Amino acid sequence: MRNYSLLFISVFLLNGCTKPTTGEADRKQSSAVSAETVKPSQAEPSGLQHIDKQKAISIPIESRPYITVAAVSPQTFTATVQAPSRVEFRAKALSTVGAVVAGRLGKINVQVGDRVKAGTALATLESSEAAQMRADIARSKAELQRAEDRAKRQAIMQKSGVGLEIERAEADIQLRQAHADYERSVQAVRLLGEGADQSIVLRAPIDGVVLRVNASIGAAVEAGSVLFELGEPGALWIVADVFDNDLPLIEKGAKASMQISALPEPVYGHVVAISAAMQPDLRRGAVYIEFDDANLPLKPGMFARASIAAAGPRRIVLPTTAVLIKDKKHTVVYVETADGQFEPRNVTIGQARDGQVPVLEGLGEGDRVVISGALLLDSAAAMLL
């Protein structure tokens, strides 16, 4: 029994001192390597390797045939900008007639659609304020006459040696005040227009057509109320709402064609002005187009579709496959900085047409841009078109 115990202890000690087998060592080493490399493999997409903290990307040689790179340079970008449009009166062809003072309409002489000449009596307004203002003229005129007589009398008395200088100076001041009151009353009545006592005759300021009548006979109106709107039908133009990215491509004098639903054939014109203000909610600016033919059967409010020639300055033009959208708002292209190395660059672009898009800002002549296969460099982006 004692011999068996000694034999068991000897075998146990020999097993504890034996080195691990080759297969066991390989399995442990493989596990260590896997633990070290699992984090990078999860952080980077397959086939790509970030080489620095500036978002530069390199690709393996076997993937390069799927990417096309080309050097870019400015070129003349001729295209057509499409924009929704409408027919409107030109600013000089619109006019309004309103009430200078509060009152009541006693008579209306026109209706919507009537053609009137400048000076035509449109309506008669009855106003107690007008009667008071005209009465103020008579009162201020009488005060002015008395002030003039007083000033003359003081001047004569001073020459005779019986007047005082202070009294003459006071009379002169009263005369100036009376004269100012009279002039103020005259100007106020002049703004009222023609009429007598409490009546005011409202007249058309321009030749045109009555577009709108905003009151009826007997209606009480407030001071400043617009009662009539007039317009000259022959003085119309097209107002096109152009996206902000396309505005730099349009120049004054550019040719334009308009398709108006009420006309069988397109009509033509040219750009006469570009608005400096933008519509912030629509990101559009107004472009004003004058018709080449002023005798078209058009009416304000008609809708149209404008096509404006956009022969702007020389710009870099890319295929739409080169431009990516990031975060639904940023436009990005990839530029080759070294052999097989690329970096993203934010750009400002115009509207894409026929598979081409102008680059307004962000690229320079000679930059090597990925024009196809850009999604292989950035799978998180979406193609523009």
Side-chain angles (χ1 to χ4, degrees):
M1 184 67 179
R2 181 177 180 184
N3 292 334
Y4 283 112
S5 299
L6 292 175
L7 179 61
F8 177 78
I9 293 172
S10 300
V11 172
F12 178 79
L13 292 175
L14 287 173
N15 288 337
C17 296
T18 302
K19 294 183 179 180
T21 64
T22 303
E24 292 175 342
D26 291 341
R27 284 194 299 271
K28 292 180 180 180
Q29 184 177 0
S30 175
S31 299
V33 172
S34 299
E36 292 174 357
T37 59
V38 65
K39 185 175 182 180
S41 64
Q42 291 174 348
E44 297 179 0
S46 176
L48 298 182
Q49 179 181 1
H50 290 271
I51 62 173
D52 59 21
K53 296 182 180 180
Q54 302 301 320
K55 296 184 180 179
I57 297 173
S58 66
I59 61 173
I61 296 177
E62 58 271 16
S63 298
R64 295 182 188 180
Y66 300 99
I67 293 177
T68 304
V69 180
V72 297
S73 61
Q75 56 184 290
T76 302
F77 180 69
T78 57
T80 301
V81 174
Q82 305 284 338
S85 311
R86 60 195 179 277
V87 180
E88 288 189 0
F89 281 110
R90 302 191 65 163
K92 65 180 181 181
L94 278 176
S95 181
T96 59
V97 178
V100 179
V101 294
R104 189 178 298 276
L105 278 176
K107 186 178 182 181
I108 297 178
N109 304 322
V110 296
Q111 60 184 357
V112 174
D114 288 351
R115 181 175 285 275
V116 297
K117 295 289 186 180
T120 300
L122 303 178
T124 301
L125 180 68
E126 304 295 333
S127 172
S128 59
E129 291 185 33
Q132 182 63 45
M133 292 170 69
R134 291 189 172 110
D136 287 344
I137 288 186
R139 178 191 58 76
S140 60
K141 187 175 183 179
E143 290 291 340
L144 176 60
Q145 186 63 49
R146 283 194 292 270
E148 288 175 347
D149 293 342
R150 187 180 305 110
K152 290 178 181 178
R153 185 169 59 254
Q154 289 296 330
I156 293 173
M157 291 176 62
Q158 187 178 21
K159 288 181 179 179
S160 302
V162 295
L164 299 177
E165 177 63 25
I166 189 172
E167 292 178 347
R168 187 191 65 80
E170 184 179 352
D172 289 343
I173 293 173
Q174 292 175 352
L175 175 61
R176 288 194 294 271
Q177 290 177 343
H179 190 273
D181 289 341
Y182 176 72
E183 289 297 330
R184 189 181 303 110
S185 299
V186 171
Q187 291 294 333
V189 171
R190 187 175 293 129
L191 290 175
L192 290 177
E194 299 180 9
D197 195 16
Q198 65 179 12
S199 297
I200 302 173
V201 179
L202 304 178
R203 298 187 179 275
I206 62 171
D207 296 347
V209 173
V210 179
L211 303 177
R212 186 174 298 175
V213 178
N214 298 325
S216 57
I217 295 176
V221 296
E222 299 293 332
S225 300
V226 175
L227 304 179
F228 300 92
E229 295 181 17
L230 308 178
E232 174 51 52
L236 300 173
W237 60 8
I238 285 284
V239 180
D241 295 323
V242 179
F243 277 115
D244 52 359
N245 285 350
D246 289 332
L247 282 177
L249 303 176
I250 299 177
E251 297 178 350
K252 187 176 180 180
K255 298 295 184 181
S257 64
M258 286 72 63
Q259 186 64 57
I260 301 175
S261 57
L263 302 179
E265 299 292 334
V267 296
Y268 301 93
H270 56 279
V271 175
V272 294
I274 301 174
S275 176
M278 298 294 297
Q279 304 173 31
D281 52 337
L282 300 177
R283 293 175 49 241
R284 294 176 183 261
V287 174
Y288 301 94
I289 304 170
E290 190 175 80
F291 294 105
D292 292 339
D293 183 0
N295 298 317
L296 296 170
L298 300 175
K299 293 184 178 181
M302 287 182 171
F303 289 101
R305 185 74 181 176
S307 300
I308 308 170
R314 291 170 58 84
R315 299 188 184 279
I316 292 173
V317 180
L318 297 176
T320 54
T321 54
V323 183
L324 307 179
I325 293 179
K326 297 281 289 183
D327 302 327
K328 298 182 180 181
K329 57 183 178 179
H330 300 297
T331 48
V332 176
V333 300
Y334 274 85
V335 178
E336 187 179 40
T337 57
D339 185 27
Q341 297 181 6
F342 305 89
E343 68 177 12
R345 188 173 299 177
N346 291 327
V347 292
T348 302
I349 61 173
Q351 184 173 346
R353 299 174 191 86
D354 302 325
Q356 301 290 314
V357 59
V359 178
L360 308 181
E361 293 181 358
L363 291 178
E365 184 173 3
D367 284 342
R368 292 180 55 79
V369 180
V370 176
I371 60 175
S372 70
L375 278 177
L376 296 178
L377 300 174
D378 193 343
S379 60
M383 293 303 297
L384 176 62
L385 289 177

